[in-house]
Amino acid sequence: MSTQGKKSAQRSASKKRSISKEPKGKKEKTQKYNYVELAKAPLTSPGPQHLYAVIIDATFPYKTNKDKYICSLKVVDPSLHVKSQKGTGDGSDYATVILYAKRFEDLPIVSKIGDIIRVHRATLRLHKQQRQFNASVFYNSSWALFSSEKNDNAPSTFSGKHYSFEKQESAILQNLRKWALQYFSSYNVITNDMYVPLKDAQKEKADFDVLAKITHIHEMDEYTNELRLRDQSGVTWHTLALKLKFPNIQNGDVVRIRSALVDETSKKKVLILSHYSNIMTFISSSKLSKEIKSKVQDEKQPDKASLKKGVNMQAVVLTEIDKKHANLPNTPLSELFHHADTDPELQNKNTFRTTFQVIKIEPSDVKEWAKSYDKKTKQASSLKGGKGANPIFQVQFLVKDASTQVNNHTYRILLYTHDGLGANFFGINADNLHKNDGARKKLEEQAELLTKFNSWVDAVVEKRNGFYFIKDTKIVV
DNA sequence: TTTTGGGG
């Protein structure tokens, strides 16, 4: 039908409505959007269609060759989710939604599989036997994202300046949330054909998807996290994830990575992500996510014997902090040493948690790490020659971290145990190290580990007179 | 709005 024809059809339709016998004031329809089911949406609809659906996969919004941005999603609903007549029982069927926009910020960032998207004015076609809904945000389409794990009607993000929400949608949204929770608790949803086990990753020549648990997050620098990924095939890979792009991922999360590539140039197993790659967690009812979370064990710290061999291929945290500080957030060294007196967040605190690498330890002679301490004069003196009582540790760590990588300063973190702070750090009591060869040898080993490449100390420190003293922290390797 | 690009 021509545009003219369409318009006249619309006009005559509205004429018909206006001559209905409805009493005045009630005849106006307030409902603008009829939502279609994915499997039932007509392929030959004369106009755009509107949908509510549950997201099971999404690219990160990405730029195409010429000033256009795309986000591609896989979606399901009660009408379209499990492959029928294929005998697999648990295979996912889905429709795709392709969103086009002129600007990055006009597209949704999907970080959780199981969340809900609403799309207005999409056109449906078949593409490679899939139902594909196309929606141009730069024309007149719009979208809104809803969390599946909340109960309100406000979208978490949406395109445009405002969003509409009609009364009828409340029920649609509620029902879809209920269905999503149920669906993810009884089906894997992300089926075997949708990802590659990590043990087979090395063979992949093109990009592929991953389903794994994050067993460790290491801060490489100010902008980058290094994720350690492990799945049920028992193999570990690493990947770099920009903090700004994926701000919400946490240690222990089970994630789907949409599009990863084996880094052929790396000696260790590294996956390369692209600009369109996405890392998504799952809604909490997900059976699959729970299973992987419980079955993939967190990795053990390497033992001392393997640590002493060669270079650490990955970051190793040598210490553990007391449980009572488990929820203490990490404060970078730059904050501790340059902003602790001016930052209102830090001003009134004196206990911090910080993670650092030890560049050097002073005194360099381990035998002088323990001193004799005179409680009256508060003086420490060498135990050399066998004299002196009340041995304590007095050790200074010269340290760096990601936040201070670019400057030339090193910072001092102190292990001074005269008041008991940090007394358990080395796992042995302070003693005369000129005499006690066993203790000295053990501490020399610790010194070697502490200053080794890729070794990290996660410590709780207490601020006293502008100095930071380690406490409630011990070496565990 | 343009026949978008869509596993990029």
Side-chain angles (χ1 to χ4, degrees):
Chain A
M1 195 186 285
S2 72
T3 310
Q4 277 305 315
K6 248 191 237 170
K7 282 201 173 141
S8 63
Q10 278 161 6
R11 270 197 299 277
S12 70
S14 79
K15 225 174 224 169
K16 266 181 204 155
R17 276 204 297 279
S18 69
I19 57 166
S20 83
K21 287 173 186 167
E22 295 266 337
K24 267 200 169 172
K26 284 197 175 178
K27 66 169 191 255
E28 284 293 41
K29 252 191 172 175
T30 52
Q31 183 183 317
K32 283 201 293 201
Y33 302 105
N34 285 309
Y35 292 95
V36 295
E37 291 181 273
L38 299 177
K40 293 174 190 166
L43 279 159
T44 54
S45 168
Q49 311 191 60
H50 319 299
L51 64 92
Y52 263 96
V54 176
I55 301 164
I56 66 166
D57 190 26
T59 66
F60 206 80
Y62 63 93
K63 198 176 185 178
T64 62
N65 51 354
K66 192 177 140 309
D67 259 2
K68 198 175 281 173
Y69 292 83
I70 289 180
C71 181
S72 161
L73 310 117
K74 297 187 179 80
V75 295
V76 295
D77 77 354
S79 74
L80 184 72
H81 54 288
V82 172
K83 276 179 187 153
S84 54
Q85 293 144 346
K86 291 198 177 170
T88 57
D90 197 17
S92 274
D93 201 0
Y94 50 81
T96 57
V97 171
I98 315 293
L99 300 170
Y100 302 91
K102 284 265 196 307
R103 303 181 308 172
F104 174 84
E105 57 269 35
D106 291 332
L107 291 173
I109 294 173
V110 175
S111 59
K112 195 172 275 190
I113 291 177
D115 276 348
I116 289 168
I117 190 162
R118 182 190 77 180
V119 181
H120 283 166
R121 301 178 198 89
T123 53
L124 175 59
R125 70 175 71 144
L126 271 187
H127 175 73
K128 297 182 181 169
Q129 351 268 17
Q130 294 264 10
R131 295 192 143 229
Q132 183 192 68
F133 292 87
N134 291 268
S136 293
V137 178
F138 55 74
Y139 179 42
N140 64 358
S141 300
S142 65
W143 55 265
L145 268 190
F146 299 87
S147 165
S148 278
E149 301 181 295
K150 286 187 181 154
N151 246 333
D152 59 52
N153 291 331
S156 46
T157 53
F158 52 90
S159 63
K161 289 208 168 75
H162 310 280
Y163 66 91
S164 67
F165 197 84
E166 297 166 351
K167 230 187 244 170
Q168 53 137 352
E169 295 183 52
S170 197
I172 296 172
L173 187 55
Q174 254 184 49
N175 286 337
L176 198 55
R177 279 174 169 148
K178 205 173 144 192
W179 178 82
L181 257 56
Q182 177 64 37
Y183 180 50
F184 276 84
S185 67
S186 36
Y187 291 90
N188 282 345
V189 182
I190 302 301
T191 45
N192 296 340
D193 54 319
M194 294 175 76
Y195 61 93
V196 171
L198 290 178
K199 73 166 166 48
D200 300 331
Q202 200 65 256
K203 299 176 218 153
E204 296 290 323
K205 294 285 165 254
D207 74 311
F208 57 94
D209 301 339
V210 172
L211 182 63
K213 181 174 171 178
I214 298 173
T215 55
H216 193 249
I217 298 181
H218 175 66
E219 186 180 349
M220 286 284 288
D221 59 43
E222 255 180 291
Y223 311 104
T224 323
N225 283 322
E226 185 193 48
L227 313 183
R228 205 182 297 165
L229 300 159
R230 203 174 158 84
D231 71 1
Q232 294 196 80
S233 71
V235 175
T236 300
W237 285 73
H238 291 83
T239 196
L240 299 181
L242 291 173
K243 290 185 197 175
L244 274 169
K245 186 171 174 183
F246 305 111
N248 297 321
I249 44 176
Q250 301 210 326
N251 197 5
D253 280 350
V254 172
V255 293
R256 166 177 170 77
I257 299 183
R258 159 69 181 251
S259 191
L261 199 59
V262 171
D263 182 353
E264 308 275 6
T265 69
S266 174
K267 274 186 190 165
K268 69 179 193 181
K269 293 174 183 153
V270 172
L271 298 173
I272 300 171
L273 303 189
S274 303
H275 58 135
Y276 43 76
S277 297
N278 200 3
I279 303 179
M280 292 159 283
T281 57
F282 289 78
I283 56 168
S284 57
S285 75
S286 166
K287 164 192 164 185
L288 182 63
S289 166
K290 281 181 199 164
E291 185 186 321
I292 293 169
K293 195 164 184 125
S294 70
K295 286 196 178 162
V296 176
Q297 288 305 306
D298 297 323
E299 287 163 275
K300 275 194 212 137
Q301 284 282 332
D303 58 28
K304 199 179 281 181
S306 66
L307 275 176
K308 287 173 80 174
K309 275 185 265 158
V311 178
N312 292 336
M313 288 304 275
Q314 59 195 30
V316 180
V317 180
L318 302 175
T319 53
E320 257 175 31
I321 60 164
D322 196 284
K323 280 194 189 94
K324 68 185 172 205
H325 301 297
N327 294 321
L328 196 61
N330 188 69
T331 306
L333 294 176
S334 59
E335 291 288 313
L336 286 184
F337 287 92
H338 299 299
H339 304 293
D341 298 326
T342 48
D343 186 337
E345 291 263 336
L346 305 178
Q347 258 171 358
N348 301 319
K349 292 183 183 156
N350 56 24
T351 292
F352 304 91
R353 180 180 189 172
T354 191
T355 307
F356 51 80
Q357 288 178 291
V358 178
I359 306 304
K360 191 166 185 278
I361 307 177
E362 291 181 349
S364 50
D365 182 358
V366 172
K367 292 197 286 296
E368 290 298 322
W369 283 12
K371 296 275 202 299
S372 169
Y373 187 68
D374 185 327
K375 282 181 184 165
K376 276 187 199 159
T377 62
K378 300 191 174 177
Q379 292 296 309
S381 54
S382 174
L383 286 155
K384 194 174 180 183
K387 285 190 177 176
N390 190 29
I392 59 153
F393 286 116
Q394 271 202 357
V395 181
Q396 303 195 2
F397 297 118
L398 279 67
V399 305
K400 291 290 270 187
D401 73 353
S403 75
T404 57
Q405 216 55 262
V406 289
N407 69 37
N408 289 322
H409 306 295
T410 50
Y411 301 85
R412 281 175 200 268
I413 299 277
L414 311 182
L415 185 78
Y416 280 26
T417 66
H418 55 279
D419 283 337
L421 295 186
N424 299 324
F425 185 78
F426 292 118
I428 57 172
N429 292 325
D431 194 6
N432 187 337
L433 300 170
H434 296 273
K435 282 185 170 176
N436 187 337
D437 286 342
R440 177 183 50 81
K441 274 186 189 150
K442 177 155 188 193
L443 291 170
E444 281 168 352
E445 276 181 15
Q446 311 264 44
E448 195 186 327
L449 289 180
L450 282 164
T451 52
K452 196 170 163 167
F453 175 71
N454 254 342
S455 284
W456 290 79
V457 174
D458 176 18
V460 175
V461 295
E462 184 168 314
K463 190 178 186 187
R464 292 186 176 185
N465 301 321
F467 294 100
Y468 291 99
F469 296 91
I470 292 179
K471 67 174 182 182
D472 300 332
T473 304
K474 62 177 185 203
I475 294 181
V476 291
V477 295

